[in-house]
Amino acid sequence: YANVVWCPYKDKDIKLVEGVQRRATKQVPGLEKLTYEQRLRKLKLPTLVYRRLRGDMIEIFKMCHELYDPQLPSLLTFSSNRNTRGHRFKLETKTFKKAPRKHFFTVRSVKSWNSLPESVVDAPTLNTFKNRLDRFWNNQEVLYDFEAALTGSAYATAENCEMIEVNTEVDVDFRSLPS
């Protein structure tokens, strides 16, 4: 639950944390001989890397839509350049002088957030946002391969996101649970 505060960025740490889920999925009867990626696909269980990235997007959504106490100072700065393509919640990309700063929540998440289409970030409720984000990132390799990165057409366009409005208070899958 502390993915915003602690998010491993070194390969050795990511592999160590992912190894816990790797061992746990091997315990499922009948899946012992499958590869880790095959086990995740069979169980429809996303990688921990994907879940942390998804959690970051959920936190930014909450901040942008003021679902936290409005008296709190914002950690995010909206882009003042209105000539850019994309949605109205574009965040400013910050520069930093020290390398460790690039792994802070407010820096590491901006590129992913800014790449989301307006149809995803303009969701009326948090559950609707989660469902739309899951549909938009549905074909991402990082969903089942923790060494992959967010790339490809689903990262750049909204064509893979089918905007079917559903009753989001009832239509919730395991990826819609709090991260």
Side-chain angles (χ1 to χ4, degrees), residues 21-29 31-34 39:
Q21 182 166 292
R22 178 188 306 267
R23 285 188 304 278
T25 58
K26 247 186 177 172
Q27 302 299 316
V28 178
L31 300 182
E32 310 88 12
K33 301 210 186 307
L34 297 177
R39 290 192 305 267

